[in-house]
Amino acid sequence: MTDTIISSATKEVVIGFDRPFVMIGERINPTGRKLLAAEMKEGNFDRVSADAIAQVAAGAQMLDVNAGIPLADEPALLAQAIQLVQSVTDVPLSIDSSIIEALEAGCAVYQGKPLINSVTGEDEQMERVLPLVKKYGAAVVAISNDETGISEDPDVRFEVARKIVNRAADHGIPASDVVVDPLVMPIGAMGQAGRQVFALLRRLQTELKVNTTCGASNVSFGLPTRNVITGTFLSMAISNGMTSAIMSPLHPEVKSAVKAADVLMGHDQDCGAWIAENREGGQAASGSAEAGGGAPKRRGGRRARVEGS
């Protein structure tokens, strides 16, 4: 089966069909976080450092790093953020930008094999991003939309994904280094969004044989008690073949759903990770539930408040 290998200078993470689900921490992203955006723009990366450490302590195997701030020097900020995060954690990173110059700046300072986030099926963007992926020996997130936008038809999205995989091969990039994002839409606005993604995930695994990821919190946007929706979605997505997600490991409902899905899919050998995290006293060793570490004490509990910055 397909394995996608991402690495830092000292640690390797493998995304694969028969492996534990890979949680990619989402919080180093100034979008919707005004305080973080203001601090990063001023050159203050204290919150970036704290978010990186907290997410890894909570169980994130990788971190997504984004520096998209209007009217800021995104290439310089992204490079600085990557260097800082790599100085305080040893997990591999997803370098996240829609600007090719920022991706290039991030890759230039990165130590290891990064995941470049992302490329779409637009011809012009593929011809700009894929050579960069090849140049740095990276893996890449393939977003399943193109010049026509995001289709509500999962078959159309599948063909966009196939197009990107084939174009990557033309650039010497194997399918194992393409991680497809099937595009998760808000279930509150599109009632069939979940079913569409599940059907697409099955085809991506069996036909294209590629690993997958998504922005998991998109599915619950605008809904109350959204962490329960997000966690349930992820457990169902895992059962349909999803192998990673950009998500927050700091929410106990979400993290527990992922870990339980690993158990039920047979990806947690002898339930070892589940037992280690949930046994009596396990939480003290991993950190507080508020920081996302250790086992959640409130089995099935719900939080009405959605955390912001």
Side-chain angles (χ1 to χ4, degrees):
M1 303 295 273
T2 303
D3 281 345
T4 301
I5 300 172
I6 313 296
S7 67
S8 65
T10 59
K11 179 173 286 188
E12 185 176 276
V13 168
V14 183
I15 303 172
F17 302 145
D18 296 319
R19 296 178 179 272
F21 190 76
V22 174
M23 297 187 292
I24 305 172
E26 70 178 5
R27 286 190 57 80
I28 305 175
N29 188 330
T31 305
R33 301 184 66 194
K34 293 182 179 180
L35 185 57
L36 176 63
E39 290 175 349
M40 290 180 69
K41 193 171 183 179
E42 293 170 359
N44 180 352
F45 288 82
D46 290 349
R47 195 175 302 271
V48 170
S49 177
D51 279 343
I53 293 168
Q55 289 183 103
V56 172
Q61 298 101 321
M62 293 179 56
L63 297 175
D64 187 75
V65 180
N66 181 295
I69 302 170
L71 305 179
D73 185 349
E74 185 173 340
L77 287 178
L78 186 58
Q80 190 173 352
I82 286 169
Q83 288 176 305
L84 174 67
V85 172
Q86 289 209 295
S87 75
V88 298
T89 71
D90 63 353
V91 300
L93 305 183
S94 165
I95 300 175
D96 186 356
S97 180
S98 60
I99 297 175
I100 188 70
E101 292 79 11
L103 292 175
E104 175 90 54
C107 287
V109 300
Y110 186 80
Q111 299 180 51
K113 176 183 177 180
L115 178 63
I116 291 177
N117 186 9
S118 58
V119 65
T120 68
E122 299 171 76
D123 288 319
E124 182 179 353
Q125 202 203 30
M126 285 191 290
E127 291 311 312
R128 297 190 72 198
V129 176
L130 292 177
L132 184 69
V133 175
K134 179 63 176 178
K135 175 182 176 179
Y136 287 98
V140 65
V141 174
I143 309 288
S144 50
N145 70 284
D146 58 13
E147 292 89 349
T148 64
I150 301 172
S151 174
E152 293 188 19
D153 185 342
D155 291 335
V156 172
R157 280 189 250 170
F158 177 83
E159 291 305 324
V160 174
R162 189 205 300 273
K163 175 183 175 181
I164 299 172
V165 170
N166 289 339
R167 188 70 61 87
D170 292 341
H171 286 272
I173 302 164
S176 60
D177 278 339
V178 180
V179 181
V180 174
D181 183 341
L183 288 172
V184 176
M185 306 302 290
I187 195 73
M190 186 184 297
Q192 296 299 306
R195 292 170 64 96
Q196 290 178 359
V197 167
F198 302 148
L200 185 49
L201 285 170
R202 293 191 292 270
R203 291 192 68 191
L204 290 168
Q205 184 184 65
T206 59
E207 296 179 44
L208 286 187
K209 296 179 172 56
V210 291
N211 284 303
T212 44
T213 196
C214 72
S217 62
N218 289 349
V219 74
S220 61
F221 181 78
L223 294 176
T225 322
R226 60 183 298 191
N227 294 330
V228 175
I229 296 290
T230 301
T232 303
F233 164 76
L234 280 172
S235 65
M236 296 177 72
I238 291 168
S239 73
N240 282 281
M242 184 168 278
T243 50
S244 70
I246 299 172
M247 54 173 284
S248 175
L250 303 179
H251 301 305
E253 305 95 324
V254 179
K255 180 181 175 183
S256 292
V258 166
K259 294 298 186 180
D262 272 343
V263 170
L264 295 171
M265 291 296 291
H267 298 160
D268 181 358
Q269 186 173 3
D270 300 324
C271 306
W274 180 266
I275 293 169
E277 188 155 317
N278 289 277
R279 66 189 172 205
E280 190 67 27
Q283 189 173 18
S286 302
S288 68
E290 183 63 28
K297 293 295 186 183
R298 296 183 297 161
R299 301 284 198 272
R302 299 200 281 181
R303 290 190 295 186
R305 183 175 69 86
V306 177
E307 294 187 14
S309 297

